[in-house]
Amino acid sequence: MYLNCHSFHSLRYGTIPLGDLIAHASACGVTAMALTDINTVTGIYDFIKGCETAGIKPIVGMEFRCGYQLRYIGLAKNASGLAEMNRFLTRHNFEKTTLPISAPDFKDVFIIYPFGNAPDLLKENEYIGIRPEQLQKLVLSQWKTRQEKMVILQPVTFRTKREYNLHKILRAIDLNLVLSRLTADDYCTDSEVMAPQETLLSCYQQYPHIIANTLRIIDQCHFEFDFATPKNKKFYTNNRKDDMNLLTTLARQGLEWRYGSHNAEAKSRMFKELKVIDQLEFSGYFLITWDIIRFSNSQGFLHIGRGSGANSIIAYCLGITDICPLELDLYFERFLNLNRKSPPDFDIDWSWKERDTILQYIFSRYGYEHVAFCGTNVEFKYRSIFREVGKVFGLPKEELDVLAKNPMELHSANKVVKQVQEYGMLLEKYPNQRSMHSCGILISQEPITNYTPLEMPPKGFPIVLFDMHTAEDIGLEKFDILSQRGIGHIDDSVKLIEKNRGIRLNIRDTSISKNQASCNAFLGIGRTIGCFYIESPAMRGLLRRLKCNNYKTLVAASSIIRPGVAQSGMMKEYIFRHNHPDKFEYFHPVFQEQLGETYGIMVYQEDVIKIALHYGGLPAADGDILRRAMSGKGRSRAALQKVKDNFFASCKAQGHPEKLSEEIYRQIESFAGYSFCKAHSASYAVESYQSLYLKVHYPIEFMVAVINNQGGFYRTEVYVHEARMSGASIHNPCVNKSEFETTLYGSDVYLGFMHLQSLESKIALLIQAERENNGQYQSLEDFINRIPIGIEGIQILIFIGAFRFTGKTKNQLLVIARLILVNFKPENRNLMLIQQPVKEYKLPELERSEFEDAFDEIELLSFPVSCSPFDLLQTRFRGDVMAKDLLKHHKKTVRMLAYLISRKHVPTKMGAMYFGTWIDAEGELFDTAHFTGSLKEYPFQGGGCYLLLGHVEVDYHFPTITVSKMAKMPFIADPRYSNSDERQFKVHGQLREDVSMTDRQPYPQEHEINLPRLRMSH
């Protein structure tokens, strides 16, 4: 009887979570209900399943609103009706047009107009909805004649008075108003609740034809959905047979390319996989992926195929991945097996510069009617909740900042803040807005609007209105089309090497980089700045602790660094066992047999499955539930609890000691959501090697490519420093040498105009374009004549030294610029200065401090180029010990002077601590640890140089200084403002540091984990 129900998917309007809405309806004895969220079908598929479980007939529909003015409600008679509504709304979403006041001619949709807003003539499928409180108006003559087209309309938006207040708050958030400014038209009436069905029907006892009309609509709505059948595009060709023939041909060709013509093991594996792919009818999925890769290769793009797809030799032979599954003993069943109903999952990365070209190809090749991005529901989060709700209650910005940045126990206890907290906590996990999945593409067999309306965000690619979980539930599996800067580093390096050195490098041939001796030498000492995935301080520390010097160890390290391995204590144990392989025992023979390669430590998702199967004796289906729970793909806690119960029951039945089983399950559980599959780690390791090969052999080109792809873990300054350490000469931007991006001439690196944050991008691009078209700039006058730039832009370029080719000082150039521009008329550009000879001005000679340039650079780039930060210190002291000698100072106290690069926040039970990364006066990196106690007395004070006092600990070849005291060292005063005490030290604050925060609970301590190193006794 309820034909107009809103869930919380009616964004910033509805207040009832979907499951709660169904439970509430069931409690009210409702036998049929319609979900009609505002301009969306986000919740209908979960709604259908939930209603069927509750014994309620589900009716799916949509409430069409313009802004928040209700136009009409649409109810789908069947799947065709839903598709009609979806296409109608999609067209208006794409065209950005308002919805018409009257509904279009739908064939399989019932339309209900709100009372008072109905057109004079109603079509056969159109009705007027009348609410219980509106029934008294039927005595009026104008409505008497229209009663035969009326139905019961009792909207549902909230359940309680408290939720009604929450609804008003949501409306105020949406309209960006304080509560007191809302008008009655901005929110729903206080009657939009669900009452018992009998109570609702009793209101209409005197109007049996209205009840009959309502029942007729309910009876004629039969929306049935087949959740079991895959909805992805089925075939690449026209049918399954042709698909398999093509796939087999491509696999045979690829097999010879990868393995030659006499590798029996590879050939056997290929045919085994082809048989499974055919049985599961996934040939189309493989071929579509291959087609995307084929297009990418035709454009000269570099891609990285990773994820569980790298377990497949077919993917390897088709060039989708670059991981040989035989080399790493990757089993195909982890990727595809006959129990799996959903298609395989390929994660494919491109450079961030090239990804849009790939997306454009997919949309045009497979049709905009069949391709869309997955959606996501962006939820209200802690900080945004208190900020949004506090704003509604009229709190000033200062108070909003306090609420957003502090835990609730530190909030003030006044009445308004209490209300903000109360309603804010109600909103936690509520959807706030719809957005686009970062990489998930859906390619459907039928038009995608059969399942959902589409929206067109500013990015320019359509999105569906549900998330990846719903997509998977209804049979749509996503293709992950990702981008990362690491590929940009590699790709641009190769282009720079050819341009700068004339060497054409085939970096796609991973045999030249993987396990290369000089790369392994760099790995073992952690010289990996700029390299994909292995440049962070934590990863460099791990590589040094492992003395990592080969591919398989790097594969393991790529997964060990993940939080799941770290928080379970297994990272520390792996490091110990790797360095002391004779000082531990395997927990159980199964661990030696299955995990011998990783010293009996669970490192990959597959390891967890192996132990669940071979130690726990669980069936393969339960192992897959564990895997999906670990990767964050499983949504059912109940299913996971059942697997846990089965695990312990099975272990007991096999006679395993209970304590050992508990310890093993603790390790399994700690992995949840934070571990890689082995193929994924291997893909990362191969890309890391490609980066490292370029860094080792072509370091300057590589670092310029890193800078131009806007870095990685660190800020630009660090990569500029690394380029200098690699032998580059670093130059400030120059109007005759620089481009928008950083450029390279031999070993001379000219920073790009993009790094001058205060210079307009269009001017920066124009400088380069004008020079390429009409030759180099001859003078400052010539530049002003050719480039439409004001005095502010000219000053930026002068201060950074972009006109140093003129031979004039910055002060002289400033005088010239002001003399020219004071009477300069833009309309005379290209006339005035060409016709008149350049004037020679008599310029004063002004003395400049040798450090003025450095302060100009800090102001414009945030770091000095013409000298080192150490040169700007008031002290000449450079520390007692240098980073290169730290290994000799184990257990000793040292005093060092260093420049701060980055710090990483780590929560502990004692409070926050930080790991610091620094460079010494020789330019070498080293690392520090700062515990809560020392931080209270000696905190970080922003970017700059510090004097450090600390104790050196060498942990498996890796030295760390535990800092007990530190002090920020003063720089010299800014010589540009020698007459102004106020500004002499202002620019110093622009020196930066990289700060990364960690939002998680503290990891348990080693004694709390108590990870056994010896076999546990019975």
Side-chain angles (χ1 to χ4, degrees):
M1 282 299 162
Y2 288 91
L3 302 183
N4 185 206
C5 298
H6 304 113
S7 75
F8 63 4
H9 289 300
S10 289
L11 300 181
R12 301 185 178 195
Y13 193 96
T15 65
I16 313 175
L18 197 54
D20 292 0
L21 177 64
I22 295 167
H24 187 48
S26 183
C28 288
V30 173
T31 53
M33 66 187 295
L35 183 66
T36 54
D37 278 318
I38 297 168
N39 295 343
T40 189
V41 296
T42 302
I44 63 169
Y45 297 104
D46 286 338
F47 173 74
I48 291 166
K49 286 185 172 182
C51 282
E52 286 173 354
T53 302
I56 297 170
K57 179 176 180 176
I59 300 167
V60 301
M62 219 183 306
E63 191 174 277
F64 295 95
R65 292 195 177 220
C66 214
Y68 272 88
Q69 290 185 339
L70 175 59
R71 293 282 199 251
Y72 27 82
I73 298 151
L75 302 175
K77 295 180 184 178
N78 47 39
S80 297
L82 178 65
E84 282 185 282
M85 289 192 287
N86 291 342
R87 280 191 259 283
F88 166 68
L89 187 58
T90 297
R91 187 172 69 254
H92 286 281
N93 286 343
F94 282 19
E95 294 171 358
K96 303 289 190 282
T97 53
T98 57
L99 293 171
I101 292 173
S102 297
D105 291 328
F106 288 128
K107 291 181 180 177
D108 292 301
V109 177
F110 286 113
I111 292 294
I112 301 172
Y113 288 98
F115 188 82
N117 278 0
D120 293 335
L121 291 174
L122 293 172
K123 304 177 188 108
E124 187 182 344
N125 65 320
E126 295 182 337
Y127 292 85
I128 300 168
I130 185 163
R131 302 184 181 206
E133 64 267 27
Q134 295 168 335
L135 287 170
Q136 58 192 355
K137 294 185 180 180
L138 294 186
V139 298
L140 299 174
S141 57
Q142 68 191 84
W143 294 110
K144 281 185 179 178
T145 56
R146 310 198 73 185
Q147 290 182 29
E148 74 282 356
K149 291 288 281 183
M150 289 185 180
V151 295
I152 297 171
L153 185 63
Q154 174 56 51
V156 178
T157 302
F158 60 93
R159 289 172 292 182
T160 62
K161 179 73 165 65
R162 194 181 186 203
E163 277 189 7
Y164 187 46
N165 292 337
L166 184 64
H167 163 75
K168 289 181 179 177
I169 289 167
L170 284 167
R171 298 303 304 122
I173 289 172
D174 188 61
L175 296 167
N176 197 23
L177 296 172
V178 293
L179 269 174
S180 59
R181 298 289 300 276
L182 286 179
T183 67
D185 290 336
D186 295 327
Y187 52 87
C188 72
T189 67
D190 60 6
S191 63
E192 292 194 9
V193 293
M194 184 179 283
Q197 187 160 295
E198 297 79 8
T199 305
L200 178 63
L201 286 172
S202 66
C203 298
Y204 294 85
Q205 279 180 339
Q206 296 178 39
Y207 306 96
H209 49 285
I210 293 180
I211 295 174
N213 285 344
T214 309
L215 291 171
R216 193 178 303 116
I217 287 177
I218 290 170
D219 190 49
Q220 290 183 41
C221 287
H222 292 289
F223 185 88
E224 294 179 355
F225 192 83
D226 178 9
F227 287 92
T229 305
K231 310 297 186 303
N232 278 56
K233 181 173 172 60
K234 278 188 176 182
F235 310 119
Y236 175 73
T237 60
N238 294 316
N239 57 65
R240 177 179 170 187
K241 183 181 178 183
D242 288 350
D243 269 9
M244 276 311 300
N245 287 340
L246 177 58
L247 185 62
T248 303
T249 301
L250 293 170
R252 284 176 181 274
Q253 293 169 353
L255 187 75
E256 186 152 350
W257 164 50
R258 293 290 198 183
Y259 295 100
S261 49
H262 302 293
N263 192 316
E265 184 186 6
K267 192 173 183 180
S268 170
R269 169 80 172 248
M270 180 192 78
F271 283 116
K272 173 188 169 187
E273 289 192 16
L274 283 170
K275 185 178 178 183
V276 174
I277 291 167
D278 188 26
Q279 285 178 280
L280 293 172
E281 301 183 30
F282 290 157
S283 53
Y285 196 94
F286 272 81
L287 287 170
I288 290 169
T289 308
W290 163 79
D291 175 58
I292 295 167
I293 298 304
R294 178 177 64 167
F295 170 76
S296 173
N297 291 340
S298 76
Q299 300 298 301
F301 295 168
L302 180 67
H303 79 277
I304 304 289
R306 55 180 176 84
S308 60
N311 288 58
S312 166
I313 202 168
I314 301 296
Y316 184 52
C317 290
L318 265 58
I320 295 169
T321 64
D322 261 322
I323 305 301
C324 171
L326 302 182
E327 179 185 9
L328 290 173
D329 191 27
L330 304 175
Y331 58 107
F332 181 63
E333 291 73 16
R334 161 64 182 85
F335 178 50
L336 282 184
N337 57 70
L338 291 175
N339 295 319
R340 180 169 181 155
K341 299 294 183 284
S342 58
D345 185 16
F346 289 112
D347 296 340
I348 308 174
D349 290 310
W350 278 271
S351 165
W352 61 283
K353 297 177 181 178
E354 295 165 348
R355 178 174 176 253
D356 278 2
T357 305
I358 298 296
L359 292 174
Q360 199 65 58
Y361 173 75
I362 295 169
F363 276 88
S364 57
R365 171 72 174 80
Y366 295 100
Y368 275 75
E369 286 194 348
H370 298 269
V371 186
F373 263 93
C374 234
T376 58
N377 286 318
V378 180
E379 296 173 342
F380 281 100
K381 297 284 185 354
Y382 182 90
R383 288 192 177 191
S384 68
I385 288 176
F386 289 128
R387 205 176 286 283
E388 296 270 27
V389 177
K391 201 190 302 179
V392 164
F393 279 92
L395 295 180
K397 183 183 181 302
E398 297 73 29
E399 284 192 57
L400 296 178
D401 289 342
V402 171
L403 293 180
K405 293 176 182 177
N406 290 292
M408 284 175 61
E409 57 267 25
L410 297 181
H411 293 177
S412 63
N414 67 61
K415 186 180 177 182
V416 174
V417 170
K418 289 289 185 189
Q419 284 186 296
V420 170
Q421 290 175 339
E422 178 188 352
Y423 289 105
M425 295 315 293
L426 284 178
L427 280 182
E428 204 165 22
K429 299 295 183 187
Y430 272 47
N432 181 19
Q433 56 192 12
R434 280 185 294 275
S435 185
M436 186 171 81
H437 191 281
S438 59
C439 59
I441 298 279
L442 306 175
I443 306 177
S444 63
Q445 179 69 23
E446 296 180 16
I448 210 154
T449 47
N450 283 3
Y451 313 112
T452 172
L454 302 175
E455 289 180 350
M456 185 69 83
K459 179 79 174 172
F461 294 109
I463 61 170
V464 302
L465 302 192
F466 45 69
D467 63 16
M468 57 180 266
H469 297 296
T470 300
E472 186 179 330
D473 282 348
I474 68 176
L476 280 167
E477 293 290 329
K478 62 184 171 60
F479 292 76
D480 284 328
I481 308 298
L482 303 110
S483 69
Q484 48 148 289
R485 298 192 184 277
I487 293 178
H489 299 168
I490 295 168
D491 210 23
D492 285 0
S493 294
V494 171
K495 292 170 185 171
L496 268 174
I497 291 162
E498 184 170 3
K499 181 181 175 184
N500 198 43
R501 301 200 193 194
I503 298 170
R504 183 169 290 185
L505 190 66
N506 182 15
I507 199 66
R508 287 180 175 81
D509 179 4
T510 56
S511 64
I512 68 170
S513 56
K514 191 174 75 179
N515 249 343
Q516 208 253 348
S518 49
C519 292
N520 287 335
F522 270 51
L523 277 177
I525 57 174
R527 285 192 59 184
T528 54
I529 296 289
C531 297
F532 172 75
Y533 200 67
I534 54 173
E535 66 164 337
S536 71
M539 193 63 178
R540 288 186 298 100
L542 177 59
L543 294 173
R544 291 184 69 176
R545 288 181 175 97
L546 295 175
K547 270 198 174 175
C548 178
N549 63 357
N550 62 75
Y551 173 52
K552 289 193 175 181
T553 304
L554 182 57
V555 172
S558 298
S559 194
I560 290 163
I561 200 71
R562 299 285 290 172
V565 190
Q567 74 181 17
S568 64
M570 287 185 275
M571 180 170 81
K572 281 189 176 179
E573 186 62 20
Y574 181 94
I575 295 167
F576 174 85
R577 295 183 182 195
H578 179 80
N579 284 283
H580 305 289
D582 56 341
K583 292 185 179 177
F584 74 92
E585 295 175 359
Y586 287 94
F587 295 140
H588 188 274
V590 164
F591 282 76
Q592 187 167 7
E593 179 187 331
Q594 297 296 327
L595 308 181
E597 186 183 289
T598 54
Y599 315 108
I601 298 292
M602 285 183 272
V603 168
Y604 313 111
Q605 288 179 6
E606 291 92 332
D607 296 344
V608 176
I609 296 168
K610 284 178 183 177
I611 297 306
L613 299 179
H614 297 284
Y615 174 84
L618 292 180
D622 280 9
D624 198 52
I625 290 171
L626 269 179
R627 176 189 70 78
R628 292 176 72 76
M630 286 185 301
S631 62
K633 292 182 179 177
R635 290 200 286 171
S636 171
R637 286 180 174 272
L640 190 58
Q641 184 61 46
K642 187 179 177 184
V643 171
K644 182 176 181 178
D645 295 342
N646 291 345
F647 175 83
F648 282 110
S650 181
C651 289
K652 189 174 181 181
Q654 293 181 75
H656 293 315
E658 189 176 342
K659 283 191 175 179
L660 177 60
S661 299
E662 285 174 357
E663 167 56 27
I664 289 168
Y665 195 83
R666 182 197 68 75
Q667 293 178 20
I668 289 173
E669 210 166 28
S670 70
F671 262 59
Y674 296 110
S675 58
F676 279 164
C677 69
K678 189 175 184 181
H680 197 96
S681 292
S683 302
Y684 270 22
V686 166
E687 188 178 347
S688 297
Y689 264 114
Q690 288 173 309
S691 296
L692 189 55
Y693 178 84
L694 295 166
K695 179 182 174 67
V696 170
H697 297 284
Y698 308 97
I700 300 176
E701 288 85 356
F702 178 71
M703 293 319 304
V704 169
V706 172
I707 291 165
N708 283 338
N709 281 273
Q710 294 162 47
F713 186 88
Y714 305 96
R715 62 189 181 275
T716 299
E717 177 186 6
V718 178
Y719 301 114
V720 170
H721 168 76
E722 192 73 10
R724 184 182 280 114
M725 294 290 286
S726 302
S729 298
I730 308 298
H731 303 275
N732 282 318
C734 168
V735 295
N736 277 335
K737 290 280 192 178
S738 293
E739 299 176 359
F740 184 74
E741 293 187 336
T742 295
T743 47
L744 180 61
Y745 304 91
S747 60
D748 289 306
V749 173
Y750 282 82
L751 295 177
F753 295 120
M754 64 186 284
H755 302 300
L756 295 171
Q757 295 163 8
S758 46
L759 185 70
E760 287 183 76
S761 295
K762 65 179 182 181
I763 293 293
L765 292 165
L766 187 59
I767 293 170
Q768 178 184 339
E770 167 63 23
R771 187 181 72 224
E772 289 170 355
N773 291 332
N774 297 308
Q776 293 206 336
Y777 302 102
Q778 301 304 309
S779 62
L780 176 59
E781 294 90 336
D782 181 39
F783 180 86
I784 292 172
N785 188 44
R786 292 162 62 181
I787 299 295
I789 189 170
I791 188 64
E792 295 85 0
I794 284 287
Q795 285 182 169
I796 291 166
L797 292 170
I798 289 172
F799 283 132
I800 204 61
F803 297 102
R804 55 192 178 276
F805 69 91
T806 64
K808 293 181 171 65
T809 67
K810 291 181 181 180
N811 292 331
Q812 290 171 334
L813 288 165
L814 284 169
V815 171
I816 294 171
R818 284 168 181 155
L819 285 171
I820 293 172
L821 288 172
V822 70
N823 294 314
F824 186 76
K825 294 178 180 176
E827 62 269 21
N828 291 337
R829 179 168 275 117
N830 298 322
L831 292 172
M832 185 180 72
L833 291 177
I834 290 175
Q835 292 171 349
Q836 297 177 6
V838 172
K839 290 182 183 178
E840 283 297 327
Y841 300 100
K842 187 163 184 181
L843 301 166
E845 291 287 337
L846 297 171
E847 287 187 22
R848 271 179 70 83
S849 159
E850 60 180 317
F851 294 121
E852 281 193 41
D853 286 344
F855 284 96
D856 283 339
E857 291 152 5
I858 293 170
E859 190 161 7
L860 294 169
L861 296 169
S862 80
F863 58 92
V865 174
S866 55
C867 70
S868 157
F870 294 93
D871 297 330
L872 301 178
L873 287 169
Q874 292 181 15
T875 179
R876 295 195 174 189
F877 178 69
R878 295 294 180 260
D880 296 330
V881 174
M882 290 295 154
K884 65 185 179 187
D885 299 319
L886 281 173
L887 287 171
K888 302 173 189 172
H889 289 76
H890 181 48
K891 299 288 185 186
K892 294 179 183 175
T893 298
V894 296
R895 195 170 53 143
M896 298 184 73
L897 192 113
Y899 182 63
L900 179 58
I901 298 297
S902 67
R903 55 186 169 107
K904 164 83 172 172
H905 162 263
V906 178
T908 74
K909 291 185 177 177
M910 301 294 291
M913 72 165 288
Y914 282 90
F915 291 110
T917 300
W918 312 75
I919 58 167
D920 66 13
E922 294 179 349
E924 295 293 334
L925 289 158
F926 68 94
D927 297 86
T928 57
H930 304 252
F931 289 96
T932 309
S934 73
L935 282 170
K936 283 179 182 173
E937 202 168 342
Y938 305 102
F940 286 93
Q941 295 177 291
C945 292
Y946 289 72
L947 182 62
L948 307 171
L949 182 73
H951 190 69
V952 180
E953 291 285 342
V954 179
D955 182 34
Y956 303 107
H957 332 291
F958 176 60
T960 303
I961 302 170
T962 300
V963 172
S964 53
K965 294 181 180 180
M966 71 174 175
K968 191 173 180 182
M969 301 301 283
F971 283 144
I972 60 172
D974 187 341
R976 301 172 306 166
Y977 301 109
S978 55
N979 297 324
S980 170
D981 291 343
E982 192 180 312
R983 302 189 68 179
Q984 278 188 335
F985 292 94
K986 188 173 182 182
V987 79
H988 302 60
Q990 289 180 231
L991 286 167
R992 291 171 54 198
E993 56 174 333
D994 293 318
V995 183
S996 51
M997 302 300 291
T998 309
D999 183 23
R1000 60 165 171 78
Q1001 292 299 310
Y1003 285 161
Q1005 298 295 300
E1006 202 166 343
H1007 69 274
E1008 294 172 307
I1009 297 171
N1010 197 23
L1011 188 71
R1013 187 164 290 157
L1014 303 177
R1015 188 178 298 181
M1016 296 176 74
S1017 61
H1018 291 253

